[in-house]
Amino acid sequence: MNFTENKICQLLGIKYPILQGGMAWIADKNLAAATSNAGGAGVIAGGNAPAQLVEQEIEECKKLTAFPFGLNIMLLSPNAADLAQLAIDKKVKFVTTGAGNPGKYIEAWKSAGIKVIPLVPSVALAKRMERSGADAVIAEGTEAGGHIGEITTLCLVPQVVDAVSIPVIAAGGIADGRGFAASFMLGAQGVQIGTRFLAATECQIHENYRELIIKAKDTDSIVTGRFTGHPCRGVKTRFARELLNFERDGGTPEQFEEMTAGALRRAVQDGDIERGSFLCGAIAGMVKTIQPTKEIIEEIIKGATTLMKGNG
Ligand code: TUI
């Protein structure tokens, strides 16, 4: 399929309209560069990291790829404002945001020539982002991994498409050519994929994390932390079930935050099955093969092309 007319490809200067998810602690220079080198849009996740560390990642990523890549800013991070400025100082091609409203940064990013792509879990926020000058939005359904909204991808994407004039990127539950094609049928002009890239050769997560993803079946993801206001989807481990029980049995949100503080780092770096949070999307059950990023992207595009012939 030819994407020369595709709005996301034109906006970002990429070959295929596939963004790699900005997974905190996971999406580093290696995964971002591999994605960009394969024709997609790689993303370095800022997560909770200090600006100095993220600056190094950006610098090193520039050595690994000549293609555009972006920076994801998790707005709940205490370092979000520093990272917002870092994106400008380092002239990244685009910024994606998560876990909040990036409105106050948009003008500065636009003035610096940075493309702005906020993640939205609702039509209301999508409209607000368009009014604030966003170049595109990522409509992410509740099937996604990590911090999530309530609406499913199937319901959210077409409603956001109808509500805004800027291009819409679908996210949440997409892992192959069928998900890509379905997103386009809903009116999206691109997809963001996270969970499938957990099985990319270039994704440097702990072996235990990778094994949990590869072994996961359809019913193996659960959502914890609804009562904190920041629900998170991940692998249904014993620890995740303990968190759910804690919530049900009247634990306080403060105690819950204490139990989960640092849990993603423990999963990604230590492979700590007892106290780590192995975040993943509901599509983890379909991720079975460890493959190079390039192979994943080409497989998705090939699958979608077959399905979209005549509709593309
Ligand atoms: O952000 C994510 N995924 C994440 S963030 C994360 S780390 C974390 N740490 C502590 C608490 C919560 C998360 C792990 N995974 N995905 C993007 C996303 N953004 N999902 C939902 C949202 C979102 C929610 C509300 C975006 C905007 C929003 O706006 C509310 C408002 O201010 O209007």
Side-chain angles (χ1 to χ4, degrees), residues 205-258:
I205 52 176
H206 193 281
E207 217 30 61
N208 293 350
Y209 201 147
R210 211 188 288 279
E211 199 174 313
L212 280 171
I213 299 300
I214 299 287
K215 283 195 176 154
K217 53 183 191 309
D218 56 348
T219 52
D220 282 342
S221 88
I222 53 167
V223 179
T224 58
R226 286 195 187 280
F227 78 148
T228 66
H230 300 130
C232 257
R233 183 184 299 281
V235 180
K236 196 199 291 175
T237 58
R238 198 172 67 191
F239 178 59
R241 279 197 296 255
E242 275 169 25
L243 290 174
L244 262 192
N245 293 341
F246 180 81
E247 199 169 333
R248 185 198 58 205
D249 298 341
T252 68
E254 291 73 27
Q255 287 170 312
F256 183 96
E257 299 288 3
E258 224 167 89

Side-chain angles (χ1 to χ4, degrees), residues 87-89 91-92 106-114:
I88 294 170
D89 297 342
K91 300 184 169 56
V92 297
I106 293 184
E107 222 177 274
W109 286 332
K110 300 276 295 178
S111 307
I114 295 170

Side-chain angles (χ1 to χ4, degrees), residues 74 76 98-101 119 121 125 128 140 146-149 230 279:
M74 208 276 279
L76 286 170
N101 179 347
L119 191 137
L125 191 58
R128 221 179 305 153
E140 185 180 274
H147 178 40
I148 47 171
H230 300 130
L279 303 185

